[in-house]
Amino acid sequence: DTEVTQTPKHLVMGMTNKKSLKCEQHMGHRAMYWYKQKAKKPPELMFVYSYEKLSINESVPSRFSPECPNSSLLNLHLHALQPEDSALYLCASSTQDSNQPQHFGDGTRLSIL
Amino acid sequence: GQNIDQPTEMTATEGAIVQINCTYQTSGFNGLFWYQQHAGEAPTFLSYNVLDGLEEKGRFSSFLSRSKGYSYLLLKELQMKDSASYLCAVTASGGSYIPTFGRGTSLIVHP
């Protein structure tokens, strides 16, 4: 079990669907992240939230829309995705100290039909 | 920017010792992390180095040389469950607490 909880674990959706990925942590971390990971590749940073404000968007297409409703929750809204968006989506959280590790959720395995 | 390099894949025998290297080029180095990731699972934190030298944690040790931009993860008494991807990640002053990941090293342990 991880301290960062992601739901759902698996998601299959069509290219016209709208769905959301959810992430929750109760460690009091004020930095939260979304990563995309393809098979046999490292996690690729998508978004960073700091104190519930979006601080980094790594030029992610607008079909991915992040949201941070409060300090414990992070959502990723999906709309009109493409087959190449199929991947493992990882949420992570951390303090804002450079000597502290990130804590990752188990991810959502997303498949786009 | 940061440039982090680690081998793509390594194989080793159960019970043996393996060393996974990571080299990096960055300005304003803050620290280096090692994570383990089993297929389809979350990366989990293994170790952190900021000062030169060796940090030992049971069967796993991590070494850092800041002057050489070099780290290694040493795994002793390998077990089949150590088959996983090992990710080296660096934090630097430009991105402060946000790490940059290397491409990961896939370790295969065989009997």
Side-chain angles (χ1 to χ4, degrees), chain A residues 5 26 33 55 72 77 90 106 108:
Chain A
T5 304
H26 294 287
Y33 313 75
S55 63
S72 299
H77 303 298
L90 292 163
D106 284 333
T108 294

Side-chain angles (χ1 to χ4, degrees), chain A residues 3-6 22-26 32 72-74 91:
Chain A
E3 297 163 304
V4 177
T5 304
Q6 287 188 246
K22 297 187 181 300
C23 174
E24 188 169 1
Q25 59 89 13
H26 294 287
M32 296 187 76
S72 299
L73 294 174
L74 187 66
C91 173

Side-chain angles (χ1 to χ4, degrees), chain B residues 9-103:
Chain B
E9 188 173 292
M10 299 181 71
T11 59
T13 305
E14 194 175 16
I17 299 172
V18 71
Q19 178 175 311
I20 303 174
N21 296 326
C22 172
T23 58
Y24 63 89
Q25 295 173 315
T26 187
S27 56
F29 175 82
N30 274 349
L32 187 144
F33 297 85
W34 284 97
Y35 290 85
Q36 179 192 59
Q37 186 179 24
H38 287 100
E41 297 183 11
T44 55
F45 169 70
L46 289 177
S47 67
Y48 171 74
N49 294 74
V50 65
L51 300 176
D52 286 355
L54 189 68
E55 295 280 343
E56 296 188 74
K57 273 188 185 181
R59 294 191 298 117
F60 291 7
S61 303
S62 57
F63 172 83
L64 178 68
S65 168
R66 293 176 65 138
S67 61
K68 295 181 180 176
Y70 167 68
S71 173
Y72 67 73
L73 182 69
L74 192 71
L75 291 74
K76 302 175 186 175
E77 301 169 16
L78 280 173
Q79 302 175 10
M80 299 296 288
K81 66 178 182 179
D82 297 329
S83 293
S85 180
Y86 291 86
L87 298 158
C88 170
V90 172
T91 53
S93 58
S96 121
Y97 59 90
I98 303 169
T100 298
F101 283 90
R103 61 184 169 181

Side-chain angles (χ1 to χ4, degrees), chain A residues 29-87:
Chain A
H29 291 166
R30 302 315 295 266
M32 296 187 76
Y33 313 75
W34 280 115
Y35 287 88
K36 173 183 178 181
Q37 187 174 30
K38 292 281 209 179
K40 300 188 185 297
K41 297 288 186 184
E44 179 185 335
L45 185 65
M46 301 174 71
F47 302 104
V48 181
Y49 273 81
S50 172
Y51 287 88
E52 296 125 69
K53 296 278 190 274
L54 183 64
S55 63
I56 293 179
N57 175 344
E58 292 285 1
S59 303
V60 179
S62 60
R63 57 186 185 268
F64 295 91
S65 175
E67 178 196 17
C68 190
N70 60 54
S71 61
S72 299
L73 294 174
L74 187 66
N75 299 322
L76 186 63
H77 303 298
L78 314 173
H79 175 53
L81 295 194
Q82 303 298 307
E84 61 266 27
D85 297 323
S86 297

